[in-house]
Amino acid sequence: MGHVPELIIDLALILGAAAAMTIIFKMLRQPVVLGYIIAGVFVGPYFNVFPTVVESEGIKTWAEIGVIFLLFGLGLEFSFKKLLKVGNVAVITSLMGVGMTFLIGYNVGVMLGWEMMDSLFMGGILSIASTTIIFRAFDESGVKSQKFAGIVLGALIIEDLVAVVLMVILSTVSISRSFQGTEMIFSIIKLVFFLVLWFVSGIFFLPTLFKQLKKYLNDETLLVLSLALCFLMVVLSSEAGFSPALGAFIMGSILAETPKVEKIEHLVQSVKDLFGAIFFVSVGMLLDPNMLVEYALPIAISTVVLLIGKPIFATIGALIAGQPIKVAVQTGMSLSQIGEFSFIIATLGVTLKVTSDFLYPVAVAVSVITTFTTPYMIGFSGRVSDWVTLKMPVKWKNRLYKYSQGTQQVTEASDWKKLIRFYLINTIIFSVVIISIILLADRFLAPYFEESNWKKLLIVSLTLLMIAPFLYALAFRRGPSQTYASIWTRPLYRGPLLALIISRIALAIFFVGFVFAKYYSPLAALLGVLASTAFFITQRHRIKGFYGRIETRFLLNLHERERSQKEKNYLAPWDSHLTTFTLDGRSPIIGQPLSAMKLRETFGINIVIIERGDQTINIPRQDHVLYPNDVISVIGTDEQLTAFKNHITVAETKIESKSDSSQVGLHSFSIPEDSNLVGQTMRHSRMREICQGIVVGLERSDERIVNPDPDMAFEADDVIWIVGSNRRIQIYLRDILEAKSV
């Protein structure tokens, strides 16, 4: 018998302990993350009752992979577009809570006599709430639909981004061991540069790549491709001087903007759960019970900071943002724990070897305690808010009420602010793209050419041709025409607007001069700028057209996910809408043909699309049978869909549509008095079979009927709404509807 490597034995031990603790914690209705940590304590070196892990270095490698998958999963849920949609309330609440908690955590370390790096990392550890734990607590308590829950989820998006920036800042400070403003500012600018570059290039190329490979992207291929992209970004992030975890987060957030994100999330979930379990078990393995007793005071103080301090700060932030007292208190009390990002920040300190041995166990202990208390903090938040309202002086309540009413008035940003914001965003994006192309050309093109003036001219020419469309956009793209015209007609703003335009043109000229200056003397560079300017003027229409194609492709990719979902919703008339359900093997409709279910008669709904793996069935026939894991798209009203959902007993999921909207559409037509459809029932008209469509609505006088009964007879002037094959319905309307009754 061959020898089994120690790493495999350790993995068997880790996963066995994790599985046992998962079952126990599921029975106790507690987060399984805590079970993993406790399992790590049992198999760790500080607990000798059970067998312990031997190959600790190998487990650390697996744990690092777990961090990558954990951040990749968080990135898939993050989305930069969600960040842009987060309101001021979530931003103010989050920054107030994070900023003040960081300062308190740092000062706690200073008062306890810790080293500066320990204090800084402690502040970072305490400041970031746990997205995973809060999501789970909201699901179990059923408060996701309440107003404060929306604010909390928005605040978590901001906190995730703050955590990314915090990791970069702490890494920079760890290297220099001091606060050097210049280095920190450079690190943040570098982070912004790479975020913009990766996001823009990812959105431009990845959706197009998925389209080109569509027929090859089964589940296995999509999983492998997604993980390959993740680890590629991990390598690029490391090469750029950032942590591997940051690269995984960035790639996840880029893929979150593509139509494949739901499918990728589903495929990666099992792998993420596996390596995440190993990571959290490894966290528990580093937990020394003796050290917890020795550092009970810091643990207790940190727990108080999270259970009392951060809720107060976040509540104040929500009040400043204009929220009512009850909503503000509920928001603050929901952000009173730490989790995955705190572990990653603590791991960063250990990896960089800049924190003391006690800091990691302290962070884990505080996380365990606050995770247990999270459901109770959320549950009691309503009572606490009532108590605060009761005890607060009437004068304060009146002032807060007036302030809240005033801040919630909808105010429209001025045209000037809109234009400034547009120019700022565009200047940053195009500058990053131009600088990246210049650097890449210098690194990869220049080495292949000898040092001669003609060879240099070739490099410069190629570089300028590649950056030409972005130079045009940087210098001449005006922005929203209505906003621009509105400002131009005001004499007060015309001067500043001209200054803004000239500054953008000057920046474009600077980039051209910079390209020439890298290879030629200042005089030659000046002549090159003049020649390039003349070229841009004569060829501006071609350059503008080329840039227009680039922008169109980028915007199509950026909004493809929302567009496909909107197109699906167009399949439903009036107050009905289209919803997707995923069927599991226990559903009562599994294995039955559609004709036997009588879904229209029983629930008033219609199944219009069945997605089965890579196969999409538009307007399924009555003899089609449903199978486990089928994704069905159903049309009905809220009440009808709720009744159907309760019947099939599966959770609603958001699954991307793989159907081609150009093949299926919603059509309507009126039945003339002399049509042979008059007097026929829907069933006998064979409308479904002939035009491959489903009647989803009928208008008769002032009455609107969603998903009418198949045995209802048509009358003259009825307006029929039908979902089906565009081509077949057009033929049907021409050949059948126009046929005269005999």
Side-chain angles (χ1 to χ4, degrees):
M1 180 181 287
H3 175 68
V4 179
E6 292 290 346
L7 180 60
I8 295 179
I9 297 175
D10 288 342
L11 276 177
L13 184 61
I14 286 174
L15 295 178
M21 296 308 298
T22 298
I23 295 172
I24 294 173
F25 273 70
K26 283 281 189 182
M27 294 170 62
L28 297 175
R29 296 183 178 275
Q30 294 295 329
V32 294
V33 171
L34 292 180
Y36 293 148
I37 294 173
I38 294 175
V41 174
F42 288 156
V43 300
Y46 305 106
F47 198 86
N48 297 321
V49 176
F50 300 104
T52 58
V53 170
V54 177
E55 191 68 33
S56 58
E57 290 301 319
I59 298 302
K60 286 181 181 179
T61 302
W62 287 93
E64 289 177 6
I65 298 175
V67 172
I68 290 172
F69 278 109
L70 190 63
L71 267 293
F72 183 57
L74 287 173
L76 289 172
E77 298 171 358
F78 175 78
S79 170
F80 284 102
K81 286 169 70 176
K82 285 183 182 178
L83 179 63
L84 296 176
K85 296 177 182 178
V86 171
N88 293 333
V89 177
V91 173
I92 296 172
T93 302
S94 176
L95 294 182
M96 184 71 178
V98 170
M100 293 303 298
T101 307
F102 180 89
L103 290 176
I104 296 296
Y106 172 77
N107 284 290
V108 166
V110 171
M111 287 188 297
L112 292 172
W114 293 357
E115 297 289 335
M116 185 191 73
M117 296 308 303
D118 290 330
S119 301
L120 281 174
F121 273 84
M122 193 61 191
I125 288 169
L126 295 181
S127 61
I128 307 300
S130 172
T131 303
T132 304
I133 294 170
I134 291 177
F135 268 53
R136 181 181 177 85
F138 279 178
D139 279 335
E140 292 179 349
S141 57
V143 298
K144 260 191 172 182
S145 60
Q146 296 187 24
K147 183 178 180 180
F148 82 91
I151 298 173
V152 171
L153 297 180
L156 290 173
I157 293 175
I158 301 297
E159 290 200 9
D160 287 348
L161 185 62
V162 171
V164 170
V165 176
L166 199 57
M167 288 166 60
V168 174
I169 293 175
L170 290 174
S171 300
T172 304
V173 175
S174 300
I175 295 172
S176 61
R177 297 297 180 114
S178 63
F179 284 103
Q180 295 187 7
T182 305
E183 286 189 14
M184 210 173 304
I185 292 173
F186 174 76
S187 297
I188 294 175
I189 292 174
K190 181 181 175 183
L191 173 64
V192 172
F193 179 88
F194 280 104
L195 285 178
V196 172
L197 176 62
W198 289 333
F199 177 75
V200 171
S201 57
I203 293 300
F204 187 79
F205 290 109
L206 288 184
T208 304
L209 176 66
F210 287 145
K211 284 181 184 177
Q212 297 297 324
L213 300 177
K214 182 179 179 180
K215 61 180 180 180
Y216 306 109
L217 288 182
N218 56 17
D219 288 357
E220 179 183 1
T221 307
L222 183 59
L223 173 63
V224 173
L225 178 60
S226 302
L227 297 184
L229 291 170
C230 171
F231 282 93
L232 175 63
M233 186 59 76
V234 165
V235 174
L236 290 176
S237 178
S238 300
E239 291 294 322
F242 301 114
S243 68
L246 175 62
F249 181 82
I250 297 301
M251 179 50 69
S253 62
I254 293 172
L255 291 174
E257 311 297 347
T258 67
K260 293 287 184 182
V261 59
E262 284 88 359
K263 190 69 173 177
I264 294 171
E265 280 187 282
H266 174 71
L267 295 173
V268 172
Q269 186 64 45
S270 299
V271 184
K272 185 184 76 171
D273 290 344
L274 171 63
F275 285 98
I278 296 173
F279 167 70
F280 286 114
V281 171
S282 69
V283 168
M285 288 168 56
L286 296 177
L287 194 61
D288 184 355
N290 295 323
M291 196 169 286
L292 298 183
V293 176
E294 182 180 351
Y295 290 92
L297 180 60
I299 293 172
I301 295 175
S302 300
T303 302
V304 171
V305 169
L306 282 177
L307 296 183
I308 299 177
K310 188 171 183 181
I312 292 175
F313 302 139
T315 298
I316 293 173
L319 289 173
I320 293 173
Q323 293 305 299
I325 297 172
K326 182 172 184 178
V327 173
V329 172
Q330 290 177 310
T331 299
M333 292 185 67
S334 300
L335 297 168
S336 59
Q337 72 296 112
I338 57 175
E340 55 278 354
F341 260 121
S342 299
F343 293 144
I344 292 166
I345 291 173
T347 303
L348 181 65
V350 173
T351 304
L352 296 174
K353 298 180 180 179
V354 294
T355 56
S356 303
D357 294 338
F358 65 81
L359 190 63
Y360 198 99
V362 168
V364 175
V366 174
S367 174
V368 170
I369 295 171
T370 55
T371 299
F372 271 118
T373 60
T374 294
Y376 302 103
M377 293 289 286
I378 295 173
F380 286 116
S381 61
R383 298 180 188 177
V384 174
S385 65
D386 293 338
W387 181 84
V388 171
T389 305
L390 182 65
K391 297 296 183 180
M392 183 177 290
V394 176
K395 186 183 295 185
W396 289 17
K397 284 191 287 188
N398 291 337
R399 288 181 178 177
L400 284 173
Y401 176 77
K402 291 179 181 179
Y403 176 76
S404 175
Q405 290 296 107
T407 55
Q408 292 185 40
Q409 296 295 326
V410 179
T411 57
E412 186 176 355
S414 67
D415 289 336
W416 181 249
K417 288 182 179 179
K418 290 179 182 178
L419 196 65
I420 289 290
R421 184 168 59 246
F422 174 83
Y423 280 172
L424 180 62
I425 293 173
N426 278 265
T427 300
I428 292 174
I429 291 175
F430 294 125
S431 295
V432 167
V433 174
I434 290 168
I435 293 171
S436 302
I437 293 174
I438 293 173
L439 294 177
L440 289 172
D442 181 63
R443 180 169 182 178
F444 295 104
L445 288 181
Y448 292 98
F449 297 94
E450 298 178 0
E451 292 296 325
S452 67
N453 288 331
W454 288 108
K455 296 292 181 66
K456 291 178 181 178
L457 181 61
L458 181 59
I459 298 173
V460 171
S461 300
L462 289 174
T463 304
L464 290 177
L465 283 174
M466 287 188 289
I467 67 175
F470 307 107
L471 287 173
Y472 163 81
L474 175 63
F476 302 112
R477 193 163 180 260
R478 289 185 174 183
S481 56
Q482 187 175 357
T483 303
Y484 185 90
S486 175
I487 295 175
W488 184 257
T489 56
R490 303 175 192 174
L492 179 64
Y493 292 114
R494 191 171 298 173
L497 181 57
L498 284 172
L500 196 61
I501 294 171
I502 292 172
S503 65
R504 296 173 65 209
I505 295 173
L507 182 59
I509 293 174
F510 167 78
F511 283 127
V512 176
F514 179 78
V515 173
F516 278 100
K518 284 182 64 66
Y519 301 99
Y520 294 103
S521 64
L523 179 60
L526 178 60
L527 295 174
V529 170
L530 294 175
S532 300
T533 303
F535 173 79
F536 276 108
I537 292 174
T538 57
Q539 300 296 321
R540 65 184 183 278
H541 295 298
R542 290 187 178 181
I543 296 172
K544 178 181 178 181
F546 184 58
Y547 168 75
R549 291 192 292 273
I550 294 175
E551 184 183 65
T552 300
R553 176 175 166 183
F554 178 82
L555 292 176
L556 284 174
N557 288 346
L558 182 64
H559 300 299
E560 182 178 0
R561 184 182 173 198
E562 290 85 349
R563 189 174 63 254
S564 62
Q565 187 62 41
K566 189 179 294 185
E567 286 173 350
K568 283 185 72 174
N569 289 333
Y570 284 155
L571 298 178
W574 314 317
D575 59 343
S576 63
H577 58 95
L578 186 142
T579 303
T580 57
F581 299 92
T582 300
L583 302 179
D584 63 17
R586 297 168 297 176
S587 176
I589 63 175
I590 292 297
Q592 297 186 45
L594 296 182
S595 58
M597 300 179 197
K598 299 189 179 299
L599 298 178
R600 184 195 291 264
E601 295 86 344
T602 307
F603 302 101
I605 57 94
N606 272 308
I607 297 176
V608 294
I609 300 173
I610 301 175
E611 298 174 24
R612 183 173 297 153
D614 293 329
Q615 181 186 10
T616 300
I617 304 170
N618 293 318
I619 315 300
R621 300 189 309 274
Q622 289 295 308
D623 59 348
H624 271 113
V625 177
L626 296 176
Y627 296 103
N629 298 319
D630 278 355
V631 179
I632 57 175
S633 297
V634 184
I635 290 178
T637 63
D638 287 336
E639 295 77 11
Q640 293 168 342
L641 292 171
T642 300
F644 177 67
K645 178 181 177 180
N646 294 334
H647 173 67
I648 62 176
T649 62
V650 294
E652 182 178 349
T653 56
K654 295 180 179 178
I655 302 294
E656 65 160 312
S657 172
K658 292 180 282 190
S659 62
D660 186 350
S661 61
S662 64
Q663 297 177 1
V664 179
L666 175 66
H667 302 263
S668 66
F669 62 90
S670 177
I671 300 179
E673 293 183 0
D674 54 356
S675 172
N676 58 6
L677 286 176
V678 175
Q680 288 195 48
T681 64
M682 190 188 315
R683 193 188 307 278
H684 291 115
S685 69
R686 300 187 67 251
M687 191 181 300
R688 180 184 186 120
E689 293 78 7
I690 295 172
C691 64
Q692 292 186 359
I694 298 176
V695 175
V696 295
L698 185 148
E699 293 183 59
R700 179 174 295 169
S701 299
D702 295 330
E703 184 181 10
R704 286 179 169 179
I705 305 170
V706 177
N707 296 325
D709 190 285
D711 294 321
M712 176 180 289
F714 293 125
E715 297 180 4
D717 298 325
D718 280 351
V719 177
I720 305 299
W721 292 82
I722 183 170
V723 171
S725 166
N726 293 326
R727 184 176 62 84
R728 286 294 192 101
I729 291 176
Q730 289 170 1
I731 296 174
Y732 179 81
L733 294 178
R734 186 187 65 218
D735 297 341
I736 304 298
L737 186 62
E738 294 180 356
K740 306 296 182 182
S741 58
V742 179

